[in-house]
Amino acid sequence: MTSPKSGPARREHLKQLREAALHRPVLARQLSDGFNGRWSRRQWVQASLFATVGMLVAAIVPGFDHLETGAGAIPRQSMTLPLPPLPARSKQAEAFDSWQIVRVQSGQTLGEIFGQLDVPASTMYRILEHPGARDALSRLRPGTELAFDIPATGGLRAFRFDRDDTHRVELAITGDAISETVIERPSQTRTVVTTGEISSSLYAAARKAGLSPAAISTMTDEIFQYDIDFSHAQKGDRFSVVYEETWREGERIGTGNIAAATFTTGGKTYSGFRFEHDGKVGYYTADGRPLKKAFIRMPIPYARITSGFSKARKHPVLGRTRAHQGVDYGAGTGTPIHAAGDARVSFVGWKGGYGRTVVLDHGKGYTTLYAHMSRFGKYKPGATIKQGTVIGYVGASGLVTGPHLHYEFRINGVHRNPLTVTMPPPEPLKGAALVAFQASTAPVVARMQQVEQVRYAQAESEPAKTSKVDKKA
């Protein structure tokens, strides 16, 4: 209990607290005290604060009605509004967004590719039955591009492939019907000059310089086959080639004709230039003389000589000594034998000890004989054939001990050594033909010389530097 003495003190304490509460400042009082008809800056700030808080509360509180469930929920209504049609380009984009591009891998078949994309084999057979499709798709090479339009709903909607280097075919498949669209792909032809030097082999050097196997074959078996024995090509031999390249969409898709070529071996340079004369295309020397000789000295390229031309030789079967009036070339059974020159076939059949034999008449008293064949080529007596035509195949028919070709060369019925006989020279270009030839070859020669100067000047200053290819369009 409180003592009586403490009563007055307590009352005094409560009185002080009451006075302090009465004199404590409050917001309402602050707003009204000293108001003279104009708000102070402090009063404006406080009023703005209250207004902001009020608006936030008014915006937030109604949102809590989404939490209400049950029968008290406010009913809602929806309205269907028409949408504008899709633009045409959007439909086109939709049609192409399902294309799948496939590049054929080595050893891969068309059936495997269709199977990987879950396209039925029946669809593939329908495509192959379309005109022109089987020829293009039956010989797929590694890297060939195929395209399949397969939408999300499944099924093959369209198929695309290249019919050749410049035409792309697109087959649209609708039910049982197939419609074709051919797209032409423009290409460009560029003239290229390349040069190289043999370090290990001609083939390796030519491939390194950018030549295709077909171009190498043209250089060795067509342009210089009469003058150069490439089996004896050696380190340091040089060559230059001007040829055509076909480009499409920034990619080289193939090589074309060789316009000119030079080959330097043994300190001597041989050259050949492509030119069309009297409807025939051939290669000529710089002075317009055809490189193609009237006769090929070896009917079997790169064959070995097993018995040469001689006045006396012991026959391996008969055992008697007699003249060997031809040259024997050793080769395996079935090796192709080529006609030495343009000719008319005068004899095909069995000829005593010669066995299966072919005799060709080249005109002007020149004839050639090919013996001991295993079988003949596809021609008949009296047929006209071109130089290089396969007239038969090496065998061992007649009086022989093994497979080989016996080759004879006759002039007016007299046997001559085909390895040393002087061949009749071809007729050179004359008159207007020679002028046209010189006009067409002059820029090619100038360009080739320019590239050779640059290439071999670099080689002399930098011996270890590899060959380069000039590929200016």
Side-chain angles (χ1 to χ4, degrees), residues 373-413:
M373 293 184 179
S374 60
R375 57 192 176 96
F376 302 115
K378 297 180 180 180
Y379 52 84
K380 296 180 181 180
T384 300
I385 60 175
K386 295 292 185 181
Q387 184 183 76
T389 301
V390 176
I391 57 174
Y393 301 86
V394 171
S397 60
L399 297 177
V400 296
T401 57
H404 70 279
L405 167 68
H406 176 76
Y407 174 58
E408 295 182 2
F409 190 93
R410 302 176 185 178
I411 303 177
N412 297 321

Side-chain angles (χ1 to χ4, degrees), residues 289-290 292-294 364 366 422-428:
R289 188 173 295 276
K292 178 182 177 180
K293 303 299 189 292
K364 298 182 179 180
Y366 291 89
T422 300
M423 299 295 185
E427 289 293 326

Side-chain angles (χ1 to χ4, degrees), residues 203-468:
Y203 186 84
R207 291 292 287 158
K208 186 177 181 180
L211 293 179
S212 66
I216 299 173
S217 179
T218 299
M219 182 172 65
T220 58
D221 300 341
E222 184 175 351
I223 301 177
F224 299 122
Q225 67 168 326
Y226 305 95
D227 300 308
I228 302 174
D229 182 1
F230 286 100
S231 63
H232 293 88
Q234 55 189 350
K235 182 178 180 180
D237 289 352
R238 296 176 175 180
F239 61 88
S240 295
V241 181
V242 181
Y243 65 102
E244 297 175 345
E245 285 185 340
T246 304
W247 287 73
R248 184 190 63 209
E249 299 171 2
E251 178 184 5
R252 191 181 81 162
I253 60 175
T255 57
N257 299 317
I258 291 181
T262 63
F263 195 91
T264 302
T265 180
K268 184 177 180 180
T269 299
Y270 300 87
S271 60
F273 300 89
R274 190 175 188 270
F275 183 68
E276 181 176 349
H277 176 57
D278 289 340
K280 297 181 181 180
V281 175
Y283 287 91
Y284 297 78
T285 61
D287 57 359
R289 188 173 295 276
L291 285 173
K292 178 182 177 180
K293 303 299 189 292
F295 295 94
I296 301 173
R297 290 194 182 275
M298 296 180 63
I300 305 176
Y302 312 118
R304 68 186 187 280
I305 298 175
T306 57
S307 182
F309 187 91
S310 64
K311 294 183 179 181
R313 186 198 69 161
K314 186 176 181 180
H315 195 278
V317 176
L318 300 177
R320 298 196 302 263
T321 298
R322 63 179 186 179
H324 187 244
Q325 298 176 324
V327 176
D328 291 347
Y329 296 95
T333 299
T335 301
I337 302 170
H338 303 275
D342 297 345
R344 180 182 61 84
V345 180
S346 62
F347 178 84
V348 178
W350 191 276
K351 194 176 183 67
Y354 285 116
R356 295 184 181 87
T357 304
V358 172
V359 178
L360 301 181
D361 183 0
H362 303 277
K364 298 182 179 180
Y366 291 89
T367 60
T368 54
L369 179 145
Y370 313 78
H372 307 312
M373 293 184 179
S374 60
R375 57 192 176 96
F376 302 115
K378 297 180 180 180
Y379 52 84
K380 296 180 181 180
T384 300
I385 60 175
K386 295 292 185 181
Q387 184 183 76
T389 301
V390 176
I391 57 174
Y393 301 86
V394 171
S397 60
L399 297 177
V400 296
T401 57
H404 70 279
L405 167 68
H406 176 76
Y407 174 58
E408 295 182 2
F409 190 93
R410 302 176 185 178
I411 303 177
N412 297 321
V414 179
H415 289 85
R416 299 293 181 88
N417 186 350
L419 299 179
T420 60
V421 65
T422 300
M423 299 295 185
E427 289 293 326
L429 296 173
K430 299 178 181 178
L434 179 60
V435 173
F437 169 77
Q438 293 173 339
S440 65
T441 59
V444 176
V445 172
R447 186 169 181 183
M448 185 183 297
Q449 291 176 345
Q450 180 183 13
V451 173
E452 288 178 347
Q453 290 174 358
V454 174
R455 161 69 183 91
Y456 295 125
Q458 292 176 344
E460 292 175 359
S461 60
E462 304 177 26
K465 195 170 184 178
T466 58
S467 63
K468 289 187 177 181

Side-chain angles (χ1 to χ4, degrees), residues 86-218:
L86 291 174
R89 63 178 183 179
S90 297
K91 292 182 179 179
Q92 293 175 359
E94 180 182 357
F96 288 97
D97 62 2
S98 55
W99 281 102
Q100 299 186 38
I101 309 298
V102 177
R103 290 193 177 273
V104 179
Q105 303 298 318
S106 179
Q108 199 172 27
T109 65
L110 187 66
E112 293 175 354
I113 297 174
F114 273 73
Q116 291 175 358
L117 297 175
D118 296 328
V119 178
S122 58
T123 302
M124 180 187 71
Y125 292 131
R126 287 174 54 203
I127 291 174
L128 290 175
E129 292 173 357
H130 188 78
R134 185 177 297 275
D135 293 339
L137 298 174
S138 59
R139 298 183 299 273
L140 294 177
R141 296 177 297 177
T144 299
E145 181 180 299
L146 304 176
F148 298 77
D149 182 14
I150 304 176
T153 56
L156 183 62
R157 183 162 53 191
F159 177 67
R160 192 170 63 211
F161 64 94
D162 292 337
R163 176 174 292 171
D164 50 45
D165 290 339
T166 57
H167 293 90
R168 172 165 287 177
V169 177
E170 184 175 311
L171 302 179
I173 303 173
T174 307
D176 295 333
I178 296 181
S179 58
E180 175 185 288
T181 301
V182 179
I183 305 169
E184 186 172 356
R185 307 178 71 187
S187 60
Q188 295 179 333
T189 300
R190 304 178 184 178
T191 300
V192 178
V193 182
T194 185
T195 182
E197 183 174 323
I198 298 177
S199 58
S200 58
S201 70
L202 170 62
Y203 186 84
R207 291 292 287 158
K208 186 177 181 180
L211 293 179
S212 66
I216 299 173
S217 179
T218 299

